[in-house]
Amino acid sequence: MGGTEGGVERRLVLRLLGHWRAAAEGRPLPTFAALSARDLEDIRPALFLLRLRRDREPVVEGAGRTLTLDLDGSPIGLAVSAVPAASLLGQATAYYEQVLEKGVPISHGGNFVDASGCTVKFRGIILPLDDGRGAIGYLIGAANCKIQPPDA
């Protein structure tokens, strides 16, 4: 079946990419307003929003519950470089520079060991958003994971 059940895409990455493409309405990139007007409720717990600072390093503007469970405290307002690398949000945002360089959505996945010693298998995507003036001003993304406890 390839990730669909009853004609509905189950894969998080492809669902967000579909929303992004629909919000673009033929333009190279959708705006934040166009994408946020879409119904994203089914994927909201796995979403993150990054705002680019003048120095081009993103700051976390929003992060769903799935992305904050392994963090001590809220990541809101943190620069991406300050998000712990051994967290789902840290792994999901680690390749933002590639998205900025290429100006296209990039999906990424892999494994990492979290702070509690569990192996985490994840898949994520980062997508650029137009700031309304033809430049990338935000990055939106989503990630999900499967956690394998350490061997006893």
Side-chain angles (χ1 to χ4, degrees), residues 1-14:
M1 287 292 259
T4 59
E5 187 173 293
V8 177
E9 179 61 54
R10 294 180 320 175
R11 293 170 288 194
L12 173 71
V13 166
L14 294 180

Side-chain angles (χ1 to χ4, degrees), residues 10-33:
R10 294 180 320 175
R11 293 170 288 194
L12 173 71
V13 166
L14 294 180
R15 289 195 328 258
L16 181 54
L17 181 59
H19 286 298
W20 183 88
R21 285 180 174 152
E25 297 178 337
R27 295 182 308 269
L29 303 176
T31 62
F32 172 72

Side-chain angles (χ1 to χ4, degrees), residues 69-72 84-88 112-120 145-152:
L69 291 174
D70 59 354
L71 296 174
D72 293 330
S87 68
L88 181 57
F112 69 96
V113 177
D114 70 10
S116 64
C118 295
T119 299
V120 180
C145 66
K146 290 185 180 183
I147 300 172
Q148 299 172 322
D151 293 333

Side-chain angles (χ1 to χ4, degrees), residues 2-3 13 25-26 29 38 44 51 57-58 61 67 73 75 83 92 96 103-104 117 124 128 133 135 139 144 148 151:
V13 166
E25 297 178 337
L29 303 176
R38 300 192 54 82
R44 191 161 308 280
R51 178 183 48 83
E57 182 177 9
E61 287 283 310
L67 296 157
V83 176
Y96 78 87
V104 297
R133 298 183 302 269
L139 299 170
N144 56 9
Q148 299 172 322
D151 293 333

Side-chain angles (χ1 to χ4, degrees), residues 62-139:
R65 186 184 78 253
T66 301
L67 296 157
T68 60
L69 291 174
D70 59 354
L71 296 174
D72 293 330
S74 172
I76 307 305
L78 289 180
V80 167
S81 62
V83 176
S87 68
L88 181 57
L89 184 60
Q91 292 293 311
T93 59
Y95 56 101
Y96 78 87
E97 290 172 326
Q98 294 172 30
V99 177
L100 291 177
E101 181 182 314
K102 296 180 182 194
V104 297
I106 296 179
S107 179
H108 177 75
N111 299 316
F112 69 96
V113 177
D114 70 10
S116 64
C118 295
T119 299
V120 180
K121 182 176 184 176
F122 77 99
R123 165 88 27 220
I125 188 168
I126 302 176
L127 309 100
L129 295 172
D130 190 307
D131 65 1
R133 298 183 302 269
I136 298 172
Y138 289 91
L139 299 170

